[in-house]
Amino acid sequence: MADAKVIPFDEDRPRRRGADRRAVRAVPGPAPAPDAEAGPEAGTPVPGGPRDGADGAPSGPRAGAEGPGWERRLASGLAFLRRRITGEYEVDEFGYDRELTDQVLMSLMRPLFDSYFRVEVRGVENIPAEGGALIVANHSGTLPLDGLMMQVAVHDRHPAQRHLRLLAADLVFMLPVVGELARKAGHTLACAEDAQRLLEAGELVGVMPEGFKGIGKPFGDRYRLQRFGRGGFVSTALRAGTPIVPCSIVGAEEIYPMVGNAKTLARLLGLPYFPVTPTFPWLGPLGAVPLPTKWTIQFGEPIATDGYPPEAAEDPMLMFNLTDEVREQIQHTLYKLLVQRRSVFF
């Protein structure tokens, strides 16, 4: 298989906005969408959904296409495979492969999002339609599925279909297969330099400051936010002059109720924790199946940072106050959503 063309990150922006017409001609575009008879299982946009035009008809080059739906899907799949084999696709310097993410990875996560966890998304209008923004969310669930569901929520529910670039821990990129897929999906190391570059380039960046303290906390501490670190995410947003969007996720805490932590085994395996749940490890691989809880993801009102002077990023008191403001807003929204929730599963 040929190697993909790696382009500098700064050059990636115009290509993704469609400004480089030569790139569009060089690589075959997506095939038209399936017709109405194919049904939603074939990928037909739902009228009025986030991937449709204002009049409820499918938008983009797929609208008005003719011919059998299976032929178009087959042609699109073959064109995708040809580009994979010949290397006629692009990745940025972080390893992000937008075509693979849109065509494959997002498609794999949508059944979990739409049918299994039945995620309800609120406040997506608080995410800017363009330009950089830092989305800060609570972290929970033993395995970091909440970050993936937030990524789908931003792309599928936002009118601009924006892509979220998540900041992940070093351990993620040390795992075989998982690390490579994380890079392909647009995730990068949780370091201030990479985050600032992405924000200044107009990307949406997602961060979960609780880290392993959040996803590895016992079930008795569910929905109680852990420490948010030293406020490095606030400093990054201040330097880039981008807004901070708080995000609260309810439902992830119960997918793997963590009732114990095998610390000795965790140290032997080099893991931050080894979870013990009512089903794992007692049921073996079957115990790794998450419980089908009902999720709600709410994006809060953005907190502006562009009004502060450049030296504000070095002010520890300001960083502490903004960090506390973000944390309090997320925690308050979590409590509010929990009061409104009638059932964990329905």
Side-chain angles (χ1 to χ4, degrees):
M1 180 179 293
D3 293 333
K5 179 182 177 183
V6 179
I7 57 176
F9 182 70
D10 292 338
E11 296 179 12
D12 188 41
R13 300 299 303 168
R15 288 182 183 273
R16 286 155 52 179
R17 290 194 298 265
D20 193 339
R21 300 300 180 189
R22 292 174 298 176
V24 173
R25 289 195 295 269
V27 180
D35 54 21
E37 295 179 358
E41 292 79 3
T44 304
V46 178
R51 293 184 290 277
D52 291 345
D55 57 354
S59 59
R62 298 186 176 191
E66 298 179 356
W70 69 268
E71 289 185 1
R72 293 195 297 274
R73 294 196 299 273
L74 178 61
S76 177
L78 291 176
F80 173 79
L81 290 176
R82 183 186 65 80
R83 290 193 293 272
R84 293 286 116 185
I85 294 173
T86 60
E88 295 181 30
Y89 61 94
E90 296 174 350
V91 298
D92 68 15
E93 60 185 277
F94 294 94
Y96 175 44
D97 188 334
R98 179 169 182 170
E99 183 186 45
L100 181 68
T101 300
D102 286 344
Q103 299 289 336
V104 179
L105 301 182
M106 282 288 183
S107 298
L108 293 175
M109 292 187 289
R110 279 193 187 102
L112 279 177
F113 182 90
D114 291 326
S115 302
Y116 197 78
F117 295 132
R118 297 147 291 147
V119 182
E120 177 186 355
V121 181
R122 304 178 183 178
V124 73
E125 67 277 2
N126 290 317
I127 301 175
E130 58 183 16
L134 184 66
I135 299 179
V136 183
N138 59 305
H139 208 12
S140 62
T142 305
L143 291 180
L145 296 180
D146 50 359
L148 300 179
M149 295 301 101
M150 185 170 64
Q151 188 177 12
V152 179
V154 171
H155 181 269
D156 285 9
R157 296 295 187 265
H158 196 278
Q161 297 183 2
R162 302 204 63 182
H163 289 78
L164 181 65
R165 310 289 294 269
L166 290 170
L167 303 181
D170 298 2
L171 177 62
V172 173
F173 301 100
M174 295 170 59
L175 298 174
V177 181
V178 174
E180 182 65 21
L181 289 177
R183 289 285 188 189
K184 294 289 187 182
H187 308 169
T188 189
L189 287 173
C191 66
E193 293 78 10
D194 285 357
Q196 185 173 346
R197 291 178 62 197
L198 288 168
L199 288 172
E200 291 176 346
E203 295 280 0
L204 285 181
V205 178
V207 62
M208 294 171 160
E210 291 176 280
F212 290 122
K213 300 187 301 293
I215 58 175
K217 63 177 177 288
F219 188 66
D221 291 337
R222 60 191 181 280
Y223 298 115
R224 298 175 186 171
L225 292 183
Q226 305 299 298
R227 184 172 173 267
F228 263 27
R230 301 176 182 177
F233 68 91
V234 170
S235 177
T236 302
L238 285 169
R239 288 191 175 93
T242 54
I244 300 173
V245 181
C247 176
S248 302
I249 304 174
V250 165
E253 294 275 16
E254 294 90 359
I255 60 173
Y256 296 110
M258 187 169 164
V259 296
N261 180 12
K263 296 182 180 180
T264 302
L265 187 56
R267 285 194 296 269
L268 291 175
L269 296 176
L271 301 174
Y273 57 88
F274 188 89
V276 177
T277 74
T279 59
F280 183 83
W282 325 115
L283 300 183
L286 187 61
V289 177
L291 297 178
T293 57
K294 177 72 172 63
W295 288 33
T296 301
I297 299 179
Q298 178 161 332
F299 298 96
E301 294 187 5
I303 300 172
T305 64
D306 54 356
Y308 294 96
E311 62 272 14
E314 308 299 331
D315 185 345
M317 185 56 66
L318 176 61
M319 285 194 295
F320 174 82
N321 290 335
L322 285 177
T323 301
D324 191 58
E325 180 181 354
V326 174
R327 188 179 183 279
E328 286 299 316
Q329 186 168 336
I330 295 174
Q331 184 70 81
H332 176 74
T333 304
L334 286 175
Y335 288 148
K336 182 179 178 180
L337 293 174
L338 289 172
V339 169
Q340 296 173 353
R341 183 171 69 168
R342 292 178 294 176
S343 171
V344 173
F345 297 101
F346 304 103

